[in-house]
Amino acid sequence: MNPIELDFKTIFPYILDDFQQEAIGYLDQNKSVVVTAPTGSGKTLIGEYAIYRALTQGKRVFYTTPLKALSNQKFRDFQQKFGQTLLPDSGIYAEVGLITGDVLINPSAPVIVMTTEIFRNMLYSTPIGEVGTSVRDVQSVILDECHYISDPGRGTVWEESIIYCPPHIHLVALSATIGNPEELCRWINNVRKANFQQNNISECKLVNSDFRPVPLKFYFSHNKGLYSLFNERNNKLNPQLKSVLATNKRGKFNPQDCPNIKTIVQQLNSRNMLPAIYIIFSRRGCDQAVESLSYFNLVTPEESRKILLYLLYFLMIENFELQDKIVEFAKKEHEIAYKKIIAFIANYDQSGEELVDYLMEKPLIKERLLKFLADNSELVRSSQIEPLTRGIAAHHAGILPAWKELVERLFELGLVKIVFATATLAAGINMPARTTVISALKKRSDDGHRLLTPSEFLQIAGRAGRRGMDEVGYVVTVQTPFEGALIAFKLAKAPPEPLRSQFTPSYGMVLNLLQKHTIDEAKELLELSFAEYLAQLQLSPQEEAIASYTTELTKLDVMLANFNSKELADYEKLKERRKQEKKILKLFQKNWLTQRQRAITPYLENLPSGSILNLSRENKKNPYNIQGVFLAHIPNGNQKFLLCLGKDNNWYIASFNDVIDINIGAIPSNIIESIYLPEVTEVKVGILCNGNENTLAFSQLIKEYEQEYTPPSDEIILQQQRIAEVEKAINENPLDKVDKIAQILKNNRKRQLLKQELSKIQSQYQRYKSNSSYYWQEFMALIEILREFDALDGFTPTLLGEASAVIRGENELWLGLALMSHRLDFLNPHHLAAVITALITEPPRFDTWVGYQPSPEVLDALGLQKIEDINYNPEQELWEIRRRLYQAQTRQDISMPVWLERDMIGLSEAWCLGATWEQISANTTLDEGDIVRILRRTVDVLVQIPQVTGVGTNLIKTAKEAAIKMKRFPI
């Protein structure tokens, strides 16, 4: 590969910081580096220097990231920074390529951006320590966001990448601030000096920096105002905040002290602290936050123009399928609008600016055009467009990737002023802001709500402060009913926690290692894991932990001596079941009410006076539940409202949506005539005023004349019966009469968790002490399962084992068994896509709805429903294979998922058959981002099938056809 001439000062046109110069110095000495520095401090520059160095020396370089979105972003950045030779017809430069699970662009380029999993997969094909064709001429591998070693889902991939990487290749590990950088660096050197890697070694050096080019200033938002979190010396809590530290008896803060989103945004805007990323740990919370700012405009007219221009390009120019519809719309709209839209689509010079000028002068046409685009585009929800024009947006996994990229682009340009985002935005995507707001210091986890770790807090906070644009970055924490200034202060001052290993063997790891190595070599490799290295350093702390847990358990055993642990657990399960059954009841009631309201709404327009109504505003503003008599319609603009007298002798104004039933009984008109109606000066839904003595007797007649209301649906009645049964079981349980039972249950839960932790630590401790590999038992358990299913013959992979080794998924053996079962060989493409979705998708939330029903062919292939077949053999059915695999894993204490999810099947089948995105979205309660992820994961497996050893030609052909049909926008 020929060297490429690049000008250093053009690529790095600024003075380098000390830690950057130190790292570059090591790279120039052919060393590897671990660089730990705060988020936003400029670590990426060191990776870019490694790219510059490789290109000028005629070598290759791999840049790996944990996320596809981050890989895509780096690809765009490096195309712009290092691109020299434009490839014809493609619009990309030859020097930079991209490889992710579903994208392959210019794979022979000298600079390849890829996900870390792709890099690990490349190394699988080469014996450890040797140079395979995939990494030939590679000088450096940049591992961006290396702190992902601590990520439970992805950490193993990072450790494998470091262990398997040839030791002469320079590793550039870029990490956020961590608590044990020396241990990470020493471990990498240990791996590189292992016995079977004695050739040329690139020694690893540590560059550890706490430098931030834009310093952070921490604030605390309270209803009384926005306060600095620290005192003037930045070493203690701001004295002004001491007056707001008090809680009630339950340890909660006064809700009236908690600022709402409007208040916080006003505080930021008034102090010139925008643009801001506002972190909310739920998708719904992000969307609701956008809705709550319905009257806020955070942009200037000029900024609004620019946003509109970007929007029009995004919705019209980049969406060819929509352009014909736009032309038809414009014809009906206005002759001038038609000409300007045609010119814009044709991309004439200045046509964009002219169209925007016209629309800004004609706000009604602008509003209609944007509404039309939203209603007819698959790129965006209608609720997202209007707030964006005011500088407000949401960003989370439930939103289509294309729309998120537009939001990111506008935010980087400073046009979007506030983005409400989940914590995933802090995980590497380059979207620096002047301010980050952290809405809560606790987040939901698998074990309930927990406090953010110091590293999570720093990762989010580090997004504040734009280099070269802001003198200071602002981090705002918020008063909530559960968290106050003291917790925020402690988190902001806490040191980052140490990096921890999440190394976990998998079927794919076992099979790939045994294809290239003996069992003894595989054991040596496992002993090289970061987990094993840390374990040898942790024997003493574990001894202390065992003593501490034992003491605490003894105390709890004394406190709970009078109670049976199993009985407590059973009682708690009953209470949890009641909670879940009530949730289901609410869902049934909501659906039933919606149906009832649709049925009765047509009758409300001409409702006769004296009609008896069942009214409810539950979970709405000005709530009430009452039965009342309708006496008059109240017109208000284009709407009508109902004036009613309630059983409680209060006058109510009700909207049509408040009526949940019309009683078949009614009060006679001759009685109604004697009632004087109250004066209505302002139409406001809710209680209008109190009745008087004259209306009291009349209100009491409601009970006399009303008859039975429409009974609830059978499913509601059955659900109420289930709840009653559970309630009865709870009431009859002796524990229900015990004082302070909630605290007793909490202590019992704590005792069980402590027992589990103690058992785990004791088991680990014994393994470390006896010098047995930390994960060797789990590795051997996987071998036993692979042998049981004939994927291994001794320690040699069989045809099934070779097939499973090629597959990438959460359970490679399960996918291998399915593909090699011959149950999928003769399916149609849409049926195969549906089956793959079933095999790789985890169960959705209990209230998820999908309107597409799985076809009989798919259910038959999965063994969930039988079509007549003379060759039917239950032992060969996927359902039966799954059951046996699940049992085998349970026996060996392996907790790998074995999915067979039928609820999502219809989505993939419909999409593969050509359903539009609008149709797909309308037929499920899943967020659009979730649909994209499910379908993309399905495509990811489909495109792997042709590479799987031993798969039949017919299945390969069908998989290719299915992948082609599935891979259309936005998938």
Side-chain angles (χ1 to χ4, degrees), residues 63-236:
Y63 194 107
T64 76
T65 81
L67 307 169
K68 288 182 183 178
L70 185 53
S71 294
N72 293 335
Q73 187 179 69
K74 293 298 180 186
F75 172 69
R76 292 194 298 268
D77 293 346
F78 296 161
Q79 276 275 319
Q80 188 173 356
K81 180 160 281 197
F82 298 106
Q84 300 288 309
T85 311
L86 192 64
L87 295 172
D89 302 324
S90 66
I92 62 169
Y93 290 97
E95 288 73 21
V96 184
L98 174 68
I99 307 176
T100 62
D102 51 359
V103 176
L104 186 69
I105 300 173
N106 203 13
S108 59
V111 181
I112 301 291
V113 183
M114 64 183 74
T115 56
T116 314
E117 187 177 33
I118 295 291
F119 177 58
R120 189 276 312 269
N121 295 348
M122 285 182 177
L123 297 173
Y124 265 157
S125 62
T126 306
I128 310 303
E130 298 181 17
V131 179
T133 55
S134 59
V135 291
R136 187 166 292 153
D137 292 329
V138 172
Q139 183 181 74
S140 297
V141 172
I142 298 106
L143 299 172
D144 200 0
E145 308 290 335
C146 196
H147 50 271
Y148 263 77
I149 280 180
S150 282
D151 184 83
R154 299 185 178 95
T156 300
V157 172
W158 292 80
E159 291 194 43
E160 287 187 279
S161 297
I162 292 169
I163 292 169
Y164 304 157
C165 183
H168 73 279
I169 291 178
H170 308 154
L171 283 180
V172 183
L174 308 177
S175 170
T177 307
I178 56 175
N180 57 342
E182 297 87 359
E183 291 175 354
L184 177 62
C185 189
R186 283 197 294 265
W187 168 67
I188 292 175
N189 279 324
N190 275 7
V191 168
R192 311 210 108 191
K193 294 171 185 174
N195 290 331
F196 48 89
Q197 294 186 347
Q198 285 297 331
N199 51 348
N200 183 25
I201 294 171
S202 173
E203 182 190 1
C204 192
K205 294 288 188 177
L206 174 65
V207 178
N208 188 21
S209 171
D210 59 2
F211 170 74
R212 279 195 62 88
V214 182
L216 296 180
K217 188 167 184 180
F218 290 83
Y219 281 86
F220 186 74
S221 178
H222 191 276
N223 235 351
K224 295 178 181 177
L226 191 63
Y227 300 92
S228 176
L229 185 61
F230 302 146
N231 63 3
E232 291 182 359
R233 293 186 178 182
N234 278 341
N235 62 350
K236 291 183 180 179

Side-chain angles (χ1 to χ4, degrees), residues 511 515 791 796-807 947-950:
L511 291 165
Q515 279 187 326
T796 304
T798 63
L799 185 61
L800 171 59
E802 291 174 2
S804 301
V806 175
I807 301 167
Q947 279 77 50
V948 176
T949 309

Side-chain angles (χ1 to χ4, degrees), residues 11-12 14 27 42-55 63 74 77-78 81-82 142 172 174:
I11 295 175
F12 308 109
Y14 30 74
L27 290 176
K43 295 187 295 294
T44 302
L45 179 139
I46 298 160
E48 291 174 346
Y49 179 78
I51 295 173
Y52 161 82
R53 187 168 176 268
L55 290 175
Y63 194 107
K74 293 298 180 186
D77 293 346
F78 296 161
K81 180 160 281 197
F82 298 106
I142 298 106
V172 183
L174 308 177

